[in-house]
Amino acid sequence: MDQKRLPAGARDKLPFWFPAAWSTRAVALSMQMTMAGFMGVYFTDVLGLNPAIIGVLLMISRFSDAITDLLIGFIVDRTNTKLGKARPYEFAIVVLWATIYAMYAAPEMSNTALYVWVFVTYFIQNSICVTILYGNEPVYLVRAVKKPENRTRMISAAGIYQMVLVTMAGMIVPQLVARAGNDRHSWATIVLFIAVPCAIIGLGRFFFVPELKDAEEPKEKAEIVSLKKAFGALKGNKYLWMLAAMYFIYHFSNGFNGAMATYYTKWNMGDLGIQTWLNAAALLAMPILIFVPKLMDKWGTAKTLHIGFIIMALGPVIRWVGGANLPALMIGTAFFIVGAVPISFMMNIYLFECMDYGEWKLGTRIEGVMGSVNSFMAKMASALSGALQGFLIAAVGYVGTAERQTAGTLTGIAVLYNLVPIVFVLIALFISYKYDVEKQIPQIRAELEARKAQPAVAVAEEAAEKEWETWRS
């Protein structure tokens, strides 16, 4: 059959534009994470709010995601529209950027009102918008790209597009923020010029990547998985929880690292604009993305995780030893980013392994709910890292409105910036050695294929038997 007549996602070889189209939503979502790195400084230095109180409010908001994160997967699994299961939810990216702008354009009001404003806008961003966008991701991918090997290649290629664009933007934003200083109007203007293009670009996947028609189960044959059955399937999937724990630690370490980098560059190095060079270090991770699929084929998924976490842990060690030396800071940051590539960019590959294991062991395949578990873990990690960062930065004597920080505070910032990520990444490394599902995957997938073939074989045998009986009579 002529491949060009097939939908792009169903072809043996994906067209060059397909990964770029798929990456658009990820680019817009990653820019949200870039802006989150400056959130702490905005709250403490620009709005003059207490970092410990802010940490508690953001933690409460994130904990509320527990319900929405787990429910969105259940909702996506039960969605059936002409556009598909996951695709309709892509419009959440527009609402996300509208509320990001609202948060950074906080009007003049009392501190109590500001705390409420921050809480509400942050809640909408994460408990609703980001929850939806994380929850629909694995389902969308499975239904947009037919061949598993093409999914891996596309994730790698899309990751390169994502990293290039986000890194370029990430090199510009720190300079803009440094020039804005503590002026509220300047901050709002900067975010507006980021929010509008991100909301538009973020819809690229919706317009150019349809779900495949043959990926949709016929409504009369689709199994309606009850909420009780879905949670039962989650409970018995040990590898999913190992993966979720590692994903939690990655997001915790990454969030804490990003927030403390802002304070470290502004106060310990005297220039917030230095983050431009730290973001430039992310470019070193791009060649890794090209080779990761081949490395995963050669080493296996588990060993790729081991090596990644080891490299990731070395990053803060190099930074700590190098002190305020910019080259050492850039090299350490590059190690931290490169090491995170397997767990951050290839997450769906590991998730597919867990889906197959769960279906094989428990007899129920759930897609959206599993994606929601990882979304939930990412939110909890962000909640705890934000709260801990707020408490610890206050504990070392940080005063956002001060002209300079004390020597003890600067030492505390340096320790927090490096020690906390090291400890947590080492915990993830230990867990990765328990994640050995890949040893069973060939057998699991072979048995799943055999199960799917059994009904067809039974029907064929029954038809042959009826034909024989008809002939005999």
PDB file of all heavy atoms in Angstrom, residues 80-110:
ATOM      1  N   ASN A  80     -15.094   9.545  24.451  1.00  0.00           N
ATOM      2  CA  ASN A  80     -15.238   9.118  23.052  1.00  0.00           C
ATOM      3  C   ASN A  80     -15.865  10.261  22.264  1.00  0.00           C
ATOM      4  O   ASN A  80     -17.034  10.588  22.448  1.00  0.00           O
ATOM      5  CB  ASN A  80     -16.112   7.858  22.943  1.00  0.00           C
ATOM      6  CG  ASN A  80     -15.349   6.590  23.276  1.00  0.00           C
ATOM      7  OD1 ASN A  80     -14.413   6.226  22.576  1.00  0.00           O
ATOM      8  ND2 ASN A  80     -15.728   5.941  24.362  1.00  0.00           N
ATOM      9  N   THR A  81     -15.062  10.928  21.439  1.00  0.00           N
ATOM     10  CA  THR A  81     -15.567  12.009  20.604  1.00  0.00           C
ATOM     11  C   THR A  81     -15.086  11.788  19.175  1.00  0.00           C
ATOM     12  O   THR A  81     -14.261  10.913  18.915  1.00  0.00           O
ATOM     13  CB  THR A  81     -15.051  13.384  21.096  1.00  0.00           C
ATOM     14  OG1 THR A  81     -13.646  13.484  20.809  1.00  0.00           O
ATOM     15  CG2 THR A  81     -15.269  13.556  22.593  1.00  0.00           C
ATOM     16  N   LYS A  82     -15.568  12.595  18.265  1.00  0.00           N
ATOM     17  CA  LYS A  82     -15.124  12.489  16.875  1.00  0.00           C
ATOM     18  C   LYS A  82     -13.637  12.815  16.743  1.00  0.00           C
ATOM     19  O   LYS A  82     -12.971  12.350  15.821  1.00  0.00           O
ATOM     20  CB  LYS A  82     -15.949  13.429  15.991  1.00  0.00           C
ATOM     21  CG  LYS A  82     -17.413  13.007  15.841  1.00  0.00           C
ATOM     22  CD  LYS A  82     -18.157  13.945  14.920  1.00  0.00           C
ATOM     23  CE  LYS A  82     -19.610  13.495  14.740  1.00  0.00           C
ATOM     24  NZ  LYS A  82     -20.368  14.408  13.857  1.00  0.00           N
ATOM     25  N   LEU A  83     -13.129  13.616  17.659  1.00  0.00           N
ATOM     26  CA  LEU A  83     -11.712  13.982  17.636  1.00  0.00           C
ATOM     27  C   LEU A  83     -10.842  12.952  18.344  1.00  0.00           C
ATOM     28  O   LEU A  83      -9.631  12.963  18.191  1.00  0.00           O
ATOM     29  CB  LEU A  83     -11.520  15.348  18.289  1.00  0.00           C
ATOM     30  CG  LEU A  83     -12.117  16.546  17.540  1.00  0.00           C
ATOM     31  CD1 LEU A  83     -11.985  17.801  18.378  1.00  0.00           C
ATOM     32  CD2 LEU A  83     -11.431  16.729  16.188  1.00  0.00           C
ATOM     33  N   GLY A  84     -11.447  12.071  19.116  1.00  0.00           N
ATOM     34  CA  GLY A  84     -10.698  11.047  19.823  1.00  0.00           C
ATOM     35  C   GLY A  84     -10.876  11.138  21.322  1.00  0.00           C
ATOM     36  O   GLY A  84     -11.750  11.845  21.827  1.00  0.00           O
ATOM     37  N   LYS A  85     -10.013  10.414  22.045  1.00  0.00           N
ATOM     38  CA  LYS A  85     -10.083  10.378  23.496  1.00  0.00           C
ATOM     39  C   LYS A  85      -9.321  11.541  24.142  1.00  0.00           C
ATOM     40  O   LYS A  85      -9.812  12.187  25.058  1.00  0.00           O
ATOM     41  CB  LYS A  85      -9.480   9.059  24.020  1.00  0.00           C
ATOM     42  CG  LYS A  85     -10.372   7.835  23.894  1.00  0.00           C
ATOM     43  CD  LYS A  85      -9.661   6.629  24.487  1.00  0.00           C
ATOM     44  CE  LYS A  85     -10.585   5.407  24.516  1.00  0.00           C
ATOM     45  NZ  LYS A  85     -11.646   5.526  25.522  1.00  0.00           N
ATOM     46  N   ALA A  86      -8.103  11.768  23.689  1.00  0.00           N
ATOM     47  CA  ALA A  86      -7.202  12.708  24.358  1.00  0.00           C
ATOM     48  C   ALA A  86      -7.104  14.072  23.676  1.00  0.00           C
ATOM     49  O   ALA A  86      -6.882  15.088  24.337  1.00  0.00           O
ATOM     50  CB  ALA A  86      -5.809  12.087  24.448  1.00  0.00           C
ATOM     51  N   ARG A  87      -7.263  14.088  22.375  1.00  0.00           N
ATOM     52  CA  ARG A  87      -7.037  15.307  21.594  1.00  0.00           C
ATOM     53  C   ARG A  87      -7.887  16.501  22.032  1.00  0.00           C
ATOM     54  O   ARG A  87      -7.381  17.637  22.073  1.00  0.00           O
ATOM     55  CB  ARG A  87      -7.285  15.001  20.124  1.00  0.00           C
ATOM     56  CG  ARG A  87      -6.832  16.082  19.159  1.00  0.00           C
ATOM     57  CD  ARG A  87      -7.155  15.661  17.740  1.00  0.00           C
ATOM     58  NE  ARG A  87      -6.809  16.628  16.745  1.00  0.00           N
ATOM     59  CZ  ARG A  87      -7.272  16.608  15.502  1.00  0.00           C
ATOM     60  NH1 ARG A  87      -8.084  15.623  15.123  1.00  0.00           N
ATOM     61  NH2 ARG A  87      -6.912  17.529  14.630  1.00  0.00           N
ATOM     62  N   PRO A  88      -9.163  16.324  22.389  1.00  0.00           N
ATOM     63  CA  PRO A  88      -9.975  17.494  22.760  1.00  0.00           C
ATOM     64  C   PRO A  88      -9.450  18.265  23.965  1.00  0.00           C
ATOM     65  O   PRO A  88      -9.735  19.456  24.107  1.00  0.00           O
ATOM     66  CB  PRO A  88     -11.352  16.874  23.069  1.00  0.00           C
ATOM     67  CG  PRO A  88     -11.365  15.588  22.327  1.00  0.00           C
ATOM     68  CD  PRO A  88      -9.963  15.095  22.362  1.00  0.00           C
ATOM     69  N   TYR A  89      -8.680  17.602  24.805  1.00  0.00           N
ATOM     70  CA  TYR A  89      -8.222  18.252  26.033  1.00  0.00           C
ATOM     71  C   TYR A  89      -7.015  19.167  25.826  1.00  0.00           C
ATOM     72  O   TYR A  89      -6.553  19.818  26.771  1.00  0.00           O
ATOM     73  CB  TYR A  89      -7.879  17.183  27.073  1.00  0.00           C
ATOM     74  CG  TYR A  89      -9.075  16.354  27.480  1.00  0.00           C
ATOM     75  CD1 TYR A  89      -9.267  15.072  26.963  1.00  0.00           C
ATOM     76  CD2 TYR A  89     -10.033  16.863  28.349  1.00  0.00           C
ATOM     77  CE1 TYR A  89     -10.379  14.315  27.316  1.00  0.00           C
ATOM     78  CE2 TYR A  89     -11.143  16.111  28.715  1.00  0.00           C
ATOM     79  CZ  TYR A  89     -11.308  14.835  28.189  1.00  0.00           C
ATOM     80  OH  TYR A  89     -12.409  14.090  28.538  1.00  0.00           O
ATOM     81  N   GLU A  90      -6.504  19.229  24.590  1.00  0.00           N
ATOM     82  CA  GLU A  90      -5.336  20.062  24.314  1.00  0.00           C
ATOM     83  C   GLU A  90      -5.587  21.556  24.532  1.00  0.00           C
ATOM     84  O   GLU A  90      -4.654  22.325  24.740  1.00  0.00           O
ATOM     85  CB  GLU A  90      -4.864  19.830  22.869  1.00  0.00           C
ATOM     86  CG  GLU A  90      -4.262  18.457  22.625  1.00  0.00           C
ATOM     87  CD  GLU A  90      -2.923  18.297  23.307  1.00  0.00           C
ATOM     88  OE1 GLU A  90      -1.964  18.990  22.921  1.00  0.00           O
ATOM     89  OE2 GLU A  90      -2.841  17.484  24.236  1.00  0.00           O
ATOM     90  N   PHE A  91      -6.856  21.972  24.504  1.00  0.00           N
ATOM     91  CA  PHE A  91      -7.163  23.395  24.649  1.00  0.00           C
ATOM     92  C   PHE A  91      -6.843  23.925  26.051  1.00  0.00           C
ATOM     93  O   PHE A  91      -6.870  25.133  26.278  1.00  0.00           O
ATOM     94  CB  PHE A  91      -8.634  23.654  24.315  1.00  0.00           C
ATOM     95  CG  PHE A  91      -8.874  23.805  22.836  1.00  0.00           C
ATOM     96  CD1 PHE A  91      -9.288  22.725  22.075  1.00  0.00           C
ATOM     97  CD2 PHE A  91      -8.660  25.012  22.202  1.00  0.00           C
ATOM     98  CE1 PHE A  91      -9.495  22.843  20.711  1.00  0.00           C
ATOM     99  CE2 PHE A  91      -8.864  25.154  20.836  1.00  0.00           C
ATOM    100  CZ  PHE A  91      -9.283  24.069  20.088  1.00  0.00           C
ATOM    101  N   ALA A  92      -6.526  23.028  26.965  1.00  0.00           N
ATOM    102  CA  ALA A  92      -6.153  23.468  28.314  1.00  0.00           C
ATOM    103  C   ALA A  92      -4.904  24.342  28.298  1.00  0.00           C
ATOM    104  O   ALA A  92      -4.674  25.132  29.219  1.00  0.00           O
ATOM    105  CB  ALA A  92      -5.936  22.254  29.215  1.00  0.00           C
ATOM    106  N   ILE A  93      -4.088  24.237  27.237  1.00  0.00           N
ATOM    107  CA  ILE A  93      -2.857  25.023  27.162  1.00  0.00           C
ATOM    108  C   ILE A  93      -3.157  26.522  27.084  1.00  0.00           C
ATOM    109  O   ILE A  93      -2.397  27.355  27.598  1.00  0.00           O
ATOM    110  CB  ILE A  93      -1.988  24.584  25.945  1.00  0.00           C
ATOM    111  CG1 ILE A  93      -0.550  25.131  26.080  1.00  0.00           C
ATOM    112  CG2 ILE A  93      -2.605  24.994  24.632  1.00  0.00           C
ATOM    113  CD1 ILE A  93       0.260  24.475  27.154  1.00  0.00           C
ATOM    114  N   VAL A  94      -4.274  26.889  26.479  1.00  0.00           N
ATOM    115  CA  VAL A  94      -4.662  28.306  26.375  1.00  0.00           C
ATOM    116  C   VAL A  94      -5.034  28.860  27.747  1.00  0.00           C
ATOM    117  O   VAL A  94      -4.607  29.952  28.146  1.00  0.00           O
ATOM    118  CB  VAL A  94      -5.837  28.469  25.385  1.00  0.00           C
ATOM    119  CG1 VAL A  94      -6.302  29.924  25.341  1.00  0.00           C
ATOM    120  CG2 VAL A  94      -5.438  27.999  23.994  1.00  0.00           C
ATOM    121  N   VAL A  95      -5.834  28.097  28.481  1.00  0.00           N
ATOM    122  CA  VAL A  95      -6.234  28.511  29.830  1.00  0.00           C
ATOM    123  C   VAL A  95      -5.004  28.593  30.736  1.00  0.00           C
ATOM    124  O   VAL A  95      -4.889  29.494  31.572  1.00  0.00           O
ATOM    125  CB  VAL A  95      -7.278  27.534  30.412  1.00  0.00           C
ATOM    126  CG1 VAL A  95      -7.717  27.989  31.795  1.00  0.00           C
ATOM    127  CG2 VAL A  95      -8.468  27.411  29.482  1.00  0.00           C
ATOM    128  N   LEU A  96      -4.085  27.659  30.559  1.00  0.00           N
ATOM    129  CA  LEU A  96      -2.865  27.652  31.365  1.00  0.00           C
ATOM    130  C   LEU A  96      -2.118  28.969  31.241  1.00  0.00           C
ATOM    131  O   LEU A  96      -1.771  29.601  32.244  1.00  0.00           O
ATOM    132  CB  LEU A  96      -1.973  26.485  30.921  1.00  0.00           C
ATOM    133  CG  LEU A  96      -0.574  26.450  31.541  1.00  0.00           C
ATOM    134  CD1 LEU A  96      -0.654  26.170  33.034  1.00  0.00           C
ATOM    135  CD2 LEU A  96       0.303  25.407  30.854  1.00  0.00           C
ATOM    136  N   TRP A  97      -1.880  29.400  30.005  1.00  0.00           N
ATOM    137  CA  TRP A  97      -1.092  30.610  29.822  1.00  0.00           C
ATOM    138  C   TRP A  97      -1.856  31.876  30.202  1.00  0.00           C
ATOM    139  O   TRP A  97      -1.243  32.879  30.617  1.00  0.00           O
ATOM    140  CB  TRP A  97      -0.550  30.683  28.395  1.00  0.00           C
ATOM    141  CG  TRP A  97       0.704  29.877  28.291  1.00  0.00           C
ATOM    142  CD1 TRP A  97       0.856  28.630  27.763  1.00  0.00           C
ATOM    143  CD2 TRP A  97       1.987  30.252  28.795  1.00  0.00           C
ATOM    144  NE1 TRP A  97       2.145  28.199  27.907  1.00  0.00           N
ATOM    145  CE2 TRP A  97       2.867  29.169  28.537  1.00  0.00           C
ATOM    146  CE3 TRP A  97       2.485  31.372  29.446  1.00  0.00           C
ATOM    147  CZ2 TRP A  97       4.208  29.197  28.900  1.00  0.00           C
ATOM    148  CZ3 TRP A  97       3.825  31.401  29.805  1.00  0.00           C
ATOM    149  CH2 TRP A  97       4.661  30.330  29.535  1.00  0.00           C
ATOM    150  N   ALA A  98      -3.162  31.830  30.123  1.00  0.00           N
ATOM    151  CA  ALA A  98      -3.967  32.980  30.581  1.00  0.00           C
ATOM    152  C   ALA A  98      -3.799  33.168  32.090  1.00  0.00           C
ATOM    153  O   ALA A  98      -3.657  34.296  32.581  1.00  0.00           O
ATOM    154  CB  ALA A  98      -5.437  32.770  30.223  1.00  0.00           C
ATOM    155  N   THR A  99      -3.779  32.060  32.837  1.00  0.00           N
ATOM    156  CA  THR A  99      -3.646  32.172  34.291  1.00  0.00           C
ATOM    157  C   THR A  99      -2.202  32.445  34.715  1.00  0.00           C
ATOM    158  O   THR A  99      -1.970  33.059  35.756  1.00  0.00           O
ATOM    159  CB  THR A  99      -4.172  30.899  34.982  1.00  0.00           C
ATOM    160  OG1 THR A  99      -3.598  29.737  34.377  1.00  0.00           O
ATOM    161  CG2 THR A  99      -5.674  30.817  34.894  1.00  0.00           C
ATOM    162  N   ILE A 100      -1.232  31.994  33.920  1.00  0.00           N
ATOM    163  CA  ILE A 100       0.167  32.346  34.221  1.00  0.00           C
ATOM    164  C   ILE A 100       0.344  33.860  34.129  1.00  0.00           C
ATOM    165  O   ILE A 100       0.963  34.487  34.998  1.00  0.00           O
ATOM    166  CB  ILE A 100       1.134  31.635  33.260  1.00  0.00           C
ATOM    167  CG1 ILE A 100       1.166  30.132  33.530  1.00  0.00           C
ATOM    168  CG2 ILE A 100       2.554  32.212  33.392  1.00  0.00           C
ATOM    169  CD1 ILE A 100       1.965  29.338  32.526  1.00  0.00           C
ATOM    170  N   TYR A 101      -0.216  34.434  33.058  1.00  0.00           N
ATOM    171  CA  TYR A 101      -0.134  35.900  32.922  1.00  0.00           C
ATOM    172  C   TYR A 101      -0.827  36.597  34.092  1.00  0.00           C
ATOM    173  O   TYR A 101      -0.289  37.559  34.661  1.00  0.00           O
ATOM    174  CB  TYR A 101      -0.762  36.350  31.608  1.00  0.00           C
ATOM    175  CG  TYR A 101      -0.911  37.854  31.536  1.00  0.00           C
ATOM    176  CD1 TYR A 101       0.206  38.674  31.421  1.00  0.00           C
ATOM    177  CD2 TYR A 101      -2.167  38.452  31.641  1.00  0.00           C
ATOM    178  CE1 TYR A 101       0.084  40.055  31.392  1.00  0.00           C
ATOM    179  CE2 TYR A 101      -2.299  39.828  31.617  1.00  0.00           C
ATOM    180  CZ  TYR A 101      -1.170  40.630  31.498  1.00  0.00           C
ATOM    181  OH  TYR A 101      -1.292  41.991  31.491  1.00  0.00           O
ATOM    182  N   ALA A 102      -2.011  36.093  34.471  1.00  0.00           N
ATOM    183  CA  ALA A 102      -2.752  36.713  35.572  1.00  0.00           C
ATOM    184  C   ALA A 102      -1.935  36.687  36.867  1.00  0.00           C
ATOM    185  O   ALA A 102      -1.944  37.649  37.643  1.00  0.00           O
ATOM    186  CB  ALA A 102      -4.083  35.993  35.775  1.00  0.00           C
ATOM    187  N   MET A 103      -1.220  35.599  37.089  1.00  0.00           N
ATOM    188  CA  MET A 103      -0.420  35.481  38.315  1.00  0.00           C
ATOM    189  C   MET A 103       0.712  36.504  38.337  1.00  0.00           C
ATOM    190  O   MET A 103       0.989  37.126  39.369  1.00  0.00           O
ATOM    191  CB  MET A 103       0.152  34.068  38.428  1.00  0.00           C
ATOM    192  CG  MET A 103       0.903  33.802  39.727  1.00  0.00           C
ATOM    193  SD  MET A 103       1.483  32.086  39.865  1.00  0.00           S
ATOM    194  CE  MET A 103       2.846  32.110  38.683  1.00  0.00           C
ATOM    195  N   TYR A 104       1.386  36.702  37.191  1.00  0.00           N
ATOM    196  CA  TYR A 104       2.498  37.650  37.129  1.00  0.00           C
ATOM    197  C   TYR A 104       2.036  39.092  36.897  1.00  0.00           C
ATOM    198  O   TYR A 104       2.873  39.996  36.855  1.00  0.00           O
ATOM    199  CB  TYR A 104       3.471  37.248  36.021  1.00  0.00           C
ATOM    200  CG  TYR A 104       4.386  36.105  36.405  1.00  0.00           C
ATOM    201  CD1 TYR A 104       4.126  34.805  35.986  1.00  0.00           C
ATOM    202  CD2 TYR A 104       5.506  36.334  37.195  1.00  0.00           C
ATOM    203  CE1 TYR A 104       4.965  33.755  36.329  1.00  0.00           C
ATOM    204  CE2 TYR A 104       6.353  35.292  37.554  1.00  0.00           C
ATOM    205  CZ  TYR A 104       6.081  34.000  37.115  1.00  0.00           C
ATOM    206  OH  TYR A 104       6.910  32.966  37.475  1.00  0.00           O
ATOM    207  N   ALA A 105       0.737  39.270  36.743  1.00  0.00           N
ATOM    208  CA  ALA A 105       0.192  40.628  36.584  1.00  0.00           C
ATOM    209  C   ALA A 105      -0.688  40.961  37.783  1.00  0.00           C
ATOM    210  O   ALA A 105      -1.725  41.611  37.662  1.00  0.00           O
ATOM    211  CB  ALA A 105      -0.620  40.728  35.291  1.00  0.00           C
ATOM    212  N   ALA A 106      -0.272  40.503  38.956  1.00  0.00           N
ATOM    213  CA  ALA A 106      -1.050  40.730  40.181  1.00  0.00           C
ATOM    214  C   ALA A 106      -1.249  42.226  40.417  1.00  0.00           C
ATOM    215  O   ALA A 106      -0.284  42.991  40.406  1.00  0.00           O
ATOM    216  CB  ALA A 106      -0.330  40.100  41.366  1.00  0.00           C
ATOM    217  N   PRO A 107      -2.502  42.648  40.626  1.00  0.00           N
ATOM    218  CA  PRO A 107      -2.758  44.076  40.862  1.00  0.00           C
ATOM    219  C   PRO A 107      -2.289  44.513  42.244  1.00  0.00           C
ATOM    220  O   PRO A 107      -1.983  43.685  43.108  1.00  0.00           O
ATOM    221  CB  PRO A 107      -4.285  44.162  40.743  1.00  0.00           C
ATOM    222  CG  PRO A 107      -4.768  42.792  41.100  1.00  0.00           C
ATOM    223  CD  PRO A 107      -3.724  41.844  40.611  1.00  0.00           C
ATOM    224  N   GLU A 108      -2.225  45.824  42.448  1.00  0.00           N
ATOM    225  CA  GLU A 108      -1.866  46.368  43.755  1.00  0.00           C
ATOM    226  C   GLU A 108      -2.989  46.070  44.734  1.00  0.00           C
ATOM    227  O   GLU A 108      -4.142  46.441  44.522  1.00  0.00           O
ATOM    228  CB  GLU A 108      -1.642  47.882  43.656  1.00  0.00           C
ATOM    229  CG  GLU A 108      -0.475  48.291  42.773  1.00  0.00           C
ATOM    230  CD  GLU A 108       0.864  48.114  43.482  1.00  0.00           C
ATOM    231  OE1 GLU A 108       0.854  47.838  44.700  1.00  0.00           O
ATOM    232  OE2 GLU A 108       1.907  48.246  42.817  1.00  0.00           O
ATOM    233  N   MET A 109      -2.673  45.362  45.813  1.00  0.00           N
ATOM    234  CA  MET A 109      -3.661  45.049  46.849  1.00  0.00           C
ATOM    235  C   MET A 109      -2.938  44.658  48.120  1.00  0.00           C
ATOM    236  O   MET A 109      -1.703  44.605  48.149  1.00  0.00           O
ATOM    237  CB  MET A 109      -4.604  43.944  46.371  1.00  0.00           C
ATOM    238  CG  MET A 109      -3.934  42.658  45.935  1.00  0.00           C
ATOM    239  SD  MET A 109      -5.161  41.435  45.386  1.00  0.00           S
ATOM    240  CE  MET A 109      -4.784  41.363  43.647  1.00  0.00           C
ATOM    241  N   SER A 110      -3.686  44.368  49.165  1.00  0.00           N
ATOM    242  CA  SER A 110      -3.081  43.990  50.439  1.00  0.00           C
ATOM    243  C   SER A 110      -2.363  42.656  50.315  1.00  0.00           C
ATOM    244  O   SER A 110      -2.631  41.876  49.399  1.00  0.00           O
ATOM    245  CB  SER A 110      -4.161  43.900  51.522  1.00  0.00           C
ATOM    246  OG  SER A 110      -5.031  42.804  51.248  1.00  0.00           O
TER     247      SER A 110
END
